[in-house]
Amino acid sequence: MKRTAVNPWDWSVKLGYNQAELIEGAARQVICAGQTAVDGNGAPQHPGDMRAQISLALDNLEAVLKAAGMGLGNVIRLGVYATDVDEALKNFDLLGKRFGPHQVAPPMTLVGVTRLAIPGLLFEIEATAAA
């Protein structure tokens, strides 16, 4: 699979994501449901702690990707939902720490929401990956 960053401006690259990516030669694709800070039984974890919830949501995303035979380096699109955008942005270094080693900056959208499906959850991340 070949990825080509499409950035008519460079401001988003400084924030850690591309405006778009041209994907060529992908043979497989996985579309992940939103991952949140829940344990293996679906019970919410880390109430009130945005940073811990982001970290666990990323752990869960990695687990789903691994089960599909992929990893964070295969992610070509992210959708992020947060009940407090400012607090989420303060902790976005976690995304850089996870995606940076794979040298990918998938296009991303961050949306502020009033709540998520399960009360107490603060952050949700969905991904599309290809290989």
Side-chain angles (χ1 to χ4, degrees):
M1 175 181 79
K2 180 182 175 190
R3 301 170 77 132
T4 305
V6 178
N7 290 302
W9 319 277
D10 67 351
W11 63 264
S12 65
V13 176
K14 295 173 188 173
L15 295 174
Y17 68 95
N18 291 314
Q19 289 292 316
E21 287 187 343
L22 178 61
I23 306 299
E24 298 176 271
R28 296 184 319 121
Q29 184 173 338
V30 62
I31 300 168
C32 302
Q35 299 300 307
T36 58
V38 296
D39 65 15
N41 295 314
Q45 303 294 303
H46 312 297
D49 187 341
M50 178 70 78
R51 189 167 186 85
Q53 287 199 20
I54 291 172
S55 184
L56 182 53
L58 288 167
D59 289 346
N60 291 340
L61 176 60
E62 284 191 275
V64 170
L65 291 168
K66 183 177 180 184
M70 296 192 194
L72 293 178
N74 297 103
V75 173
I76 59 172
R77 176 83 172 95
L78 290 171
V80 178
Y81 307 90
T83 59
D84 183 336
V85 170
D86 292 330
E87 190 63 22
L89 287 171
K90 287 179 193 174
N91 293 287
F92 257 42
D93 64 300
L94 293 172
L95 276 77
K97 289 177 182 177
R98 297 288 185 98
F99 284 93
H102 301 283
Q103 298 182 348
V104 297
M108 172 184 4
T109 300
L110 169 61
V111 178
V113 296
T114 56
R115 63 163 283 200
L116 295 168
I118 300 173
L121 292 178
L122 308 172
F123 183 89
E124 186 166 345
I125 187 167
E126 59 186 16
T128 300

